[in-house]
Amino acid sequence: MEKISIQKIKWLRGLGLKKNRDESDCFIVEGEKIISEILEINPNRILFILATSELILKYKLENIENVFVGNENDLSKVSTLNTPPKILAVVSKDTSKEINVAEKIIILDGIQDPGNLGTIIRTADWFGLTQIVCSKNTVDCYNQKVIQASMGSIFRMNIIYTELSDFISNLNVPIHGALLDGQRLTEVNPKDIKVLVLGNEGQGISSGIIKKITNPITIQGFGGAESLNVGIATGIFLYHWVR
Amino acid sequence: MEKISIQKIKWLRGLGLKKNRDESDCFIVEGEKIISEILEINPNRILFILATSELILKYKLENIENVFVGNENDLSKVSTLNTPPKILAVVSKDTSKEINVAEKIIILDGIQDPGNLGTIIRTADWFGLTQIVCSKNTVDCYNQKVIQASMGSIFRMNIIYTELSDFISNLNVPIHGALLDGQRLTEVNPKDIKVLVLGNEGQGISSGIIKKITNPITIQGFGGAESLNVGIATGIFLYHWVR
């Protein structure tokens, strides 16, 4: 087992930055549960592993290239978790899949909070949706906090970043969007929904995209709160959409 | 304007601990938006304010007892936010209201994450529910992260902590509970739901409480995710319940 070097730890830490993830088309995944899943289902996507000797032996990784041993301190230097994991891996992005416009698409316009994006990915996966199209100013889905909150669902989701305005203009379907003053969701026929646009946590859907919403829809409120969290709203919309 | 003392900053920091909040029956609220709301609607609940001179003048607080001026550094010593607020207040708990068993009740069994509890409170408020009964091991609703995630909704919610087992045994209604293998939510008549039990993020509803669930209900999944986030699940249950 080769000990991890300071240079390699620096490189791993660098993958915390979107710029470096974009350049190298890879990202970091933390924790035994999710990495053992990838090792089983899709081992070719794993480019590099840093783990304790215990886990290297457990998963029989000792003679594999680009597997390095580190102690708790080494792992904590790379990890973004409060309790550093015993294993972390660098995984290649899968950019091979195209968006299929005949299937359901979630469109995200400017989601900023990594926890919200991760939860949206996990919820989409629960309801069997597989396509998310994000505006370029949406938080990077390969951010470690997003990966963590997605609980493994990111590996079952096709996520692209693009100019939303152009993308939507090329769609030939009704454009449903979550707004505060639209048709009540309970009155919307789920079969009519092909794509659903959700906006930023504070500002909602941006003015350029609002113009392209043909069907504004709303979750009716009955109390004092000014709005719903965007993750909660997404959960409710998807529940209605796939029922 | 009296300058905040080191002793008072220590006391404020101490209110970050549940023990101290329990002893003094008060808690900290941060930020201009929510504090201006309380000043307008319920000023008697505000026991103490620490703010910049700018905000003390803006809200005409300069001659009021227990209002102290501090700089950014003083505020950051007490704040739990990444960007410290310009005002924070100590607010008394309202423990006067009893739970009305004739109205809808959300029952939380061991929710641990402050963000989840705050989001559940905000979502309950959106749907017009006002009663939450928590197990004693549920995270304290006066934790600053809960207050923050609730976005002001905590002031419209009656929340108690009690022995859930006894509380539920004294109810004379069906006990609906969120479980992975219950009746599909789409098939449940919302009018039949009087109380809804939601469990811990990882373990779900505890074994002692599961025995008391008369009506297990489930949000049907169609994809790969193992579970839904408890906040998302609550949002979907409440949407179905109040429609």
Side-chain angles (χ1 to χ4, degrees):
Chain A
M1 285 189 263
E2 190 177 340
K3 176 92 182 73
I4 186 93
S5 67
I6 293 175
Q7 285 71 23
K8 289 199 173 67
I9 289 184
K10 273 194 186 160
W11 167 69
L12 289 169
R13 286 173 64 96
L15 291 176
L17 295 175
K18 179 175 186 298
K19 179 172 72 84
N20 295 329
R21 292 193 296 269
D22 286 350
E23 270 172 17
S24 52
D25 262 341
C26 62
F27 59 102
I28 289 179
V29 170
E30 302 191 45
E32 184 175 350
K33 184 163 188 296
I34 180 161
I35 294 174
S36 64
E37 269 179 41
I38 311 172
L39 280 168
E40 199 174 310
I41 298 167
N42 220 333
N44 292 337
R45 284 186 64 183
I46 296 188
L47 308 176
F48 185 102
I49 285 179
L50 166 61
T52 61
S53 53
E54 178 201 347
L55 285 206
I56 289 179
L57 294 171
K58 178 171 175 185
Y59 290 99
K60 303 188 173 56
L61 303 168
E62 56 271 40
N63 293 319
I64 295 182
E65 210 187 359
N66 284 328
V67 173
F68 295 86
V69 66
N71 57 30
E72 202 177 292
N73 188 29
D74 297 323
L75 283 149
S76 74
K77 280 181 185 151
V78 182
S79 176
T80 56
L81 305 176
N82 291 334
T83 311
K86 290 181 175 176
I87 184 166
L88 53 84
V90 177
V91 177
S92 63
K93 295 183 186 176
D94 177 4
T95 52
S96 62
K97 277 179 264 172
E98 304 238 323
I99 293 292
N100 175 358
V101 295
E103 297 284 335
K104 294 183 179 74
I105 305 171
I106 298 172
I107 298 177
L108 302 179
D109 181 22
I111 299 292
Q112 289 306 298
D113 182 83
N116 281 342
L117 179 56
T119 304
I120 290 170
I121 293 168
R122 177 179 171 192
T123 307
D125 187 27
W126 176 266
F127 285 115
L129 278 75
T130 57
Q131 307 191 103
I132 301 180
V133 173
C134 304
S135 65
K136 292 199 163 167
N137 67 342
T138 293
V139 61
D140 183 30
C141 67
Y142 300 107
N143 173 310
Q144 276 168 263
K145 286 185 187 164
V146 177
I147 306 286
Q148 217 58 42
S150 92
M151 304 274 276
S153 291
I154 188 132
F155 292 100
R156 289 180 288 272
M157 203 58 53
N158 185 14
I159 305 174
I160 67 159
Y161 287 75
T162 189
E163 275 304 333
L164 276 197
S165 184
D166 298 345
F167 179 81
I168 294 174
S169 297
N170 287 325
L171 293 173
N172 204 6
V173 293
I175 309 296
H176 285 77
L179 290 166
L180 283 171
D181 54 352
Q183 188 183 15
R184 289 182 194 172
L185 182 60
T186 45
E187 294 163 5
V188 176
N189 184 344
K191 293 199 172 54
D192 293 341
I193 310 178
K194 306 300 174 191
V195 304
L196 173 65
V197 183
L198 295 141
N200 168 272
E201 288 87 349
Q203 271 73 52
I205 300 174
S206 59
S207 55
I209 301 300
I210 280 188
K211 291 179 203 147
K212 301 188 184 288
I213 305 293
T214 57
N215 299 56
I217 53 179
T218 298
I219 299 163
Q220 199 189 2
F222 304 90
E226 282 176 21
S227 63
L228 281 171
N229 165 283
V230 65
I232 303 287
T234 305
I236 294 168
F237 283 119
L238 298 194
Y239 167 73
H240 183 80
W241 195 359
V242 305
R243 55 187 301 168
Chain B
M1 286 188 262
E2 191 177 340
K3 176 92 182 70
I4 187 91
S5 67
I6 293 173
Q7 285 73 23
K8 290 199 174 69
I9 287 182
K10 275 194 185 158
W11 167 69
L12 288 169
R13 285 173 65 95
L15 291 175
L17 296 174
K18 178 174 187 301
K19 180 171 71 81
N20 296 330
R21 292 193 296 268
D22 286 351
E23 272 173 15
S24 52
D25 262 341
C26 61
F27 59 101
I28 288 178
V29 170
E30 302 191 45
E32 184 175 350
K33 183 163 187 298
I34 181 162
I35 294 174
S36 64
E37 269 179 42
I38 312 170
L39 279 169
E40 198 174 311
I41 298 165
N42 219 335
N44 292 337
R45 285 186 64 182
I46 296 188
L47 307 176
F48 186 101
I49 285 178
L50 166 60
T52 60
S53 54
E54 178 201 346
L55 285 205
I56 290 179
L57 294 172
K58 178 172 176 184
Y59 290 99
K60 302 189 175 55
L61 303 168
E62 58 268 41
N63 294 317
I64 295 179
E65 211 187 356
N66 285 325
V67 173
F68 294 88
V69 65
N71 56 30
E72 203 177 291
N73 187 32
D74 298 323
L75 283 149
S76 75
K77 280 180 185 152
V78 182
S79 176
T80 57
L81 306 177
N82 290 336
T83 311
K86 290 184 173 170
I87 185 166
L88 53 82
V90 177
V91 177
S92 62
K93 294 182 187 176
D94 177 4
T95 54
S96 62
K97 279 179 260 170
E98 305 237 321
I99 294 291
N100 176 359
V101 295
E103 297 283 337
K104 294 182 179 75
I105 304 171
I106 297 172
I107 298 178
L108 302 179
D109 182 20
I111 300 292
Q112 290 305 298
D113 182 82
N116 281 341
L117 179 55
T119 304
I120 290 171
I121 293 168
R122 177 179 170 190
T123 308
D125 187 27
W126 176 265
F127 285 115
L129 277 77
T130 57
Q131 306 192 104
I132 301 180
V133 173
C134 303
S135 65
K136 292 199 165 170
N137 67 343
T138 294
V139 61
D140 183 29
C141 67
Y142 300 108
N143 173 310
Q144 276 168 263
K145 286 184 188 167
V146 177
I147 305 285
Q148 216 59 41
S150 91
M151 304 272 278
S153 291
I154 187 131
F155 292 99
R156 288 181 288 271
M157 202 59 51
N158 185 15
I159 305 174
I160 67 159
Y161 286 75
T162 189
E163 275 305 333
L164 275 196
S165 184
D166 299 345
F167 178 82
I168 294 175
S169 298
N170 287 325
L171 294 172
N172 204 9
V173 294
I175 309 295
H176 285 77
L179 290 165
L180 282 171
D181 55 351
Q183 188 183 13
R184 288 183 194 170
L185 183 60
T186 44
E187 294 163 4
V188 177
N189 184 343
K191 292 199 172 54
D192 293 341
I193 310 177
K194 307 298 175 192
V195 305
L196 173 66
V197 183
L198 295 141
N200 169 272
E201 288 87 350
Q203 270 73 52
I205 300 174
S206 60
S207 55
I209 301 299
I210 280 189
K211 291 178 204 151
K212 301 187 184 287
I213 305 293
T214 58
N215 300 56
I217 53 178
T218 297
I219 298 163
Q220 198 188 0
F222 304 90
E226 282 176 22
S227 63
L228 281 172
N229 164 284
V230 65
I232 303 288
T234 305
I236 294 169
F237 283 119
L238 299 194
Y239 168 73
H240 184 81
W241 195 0
V242 306
R243 55 188 299 167

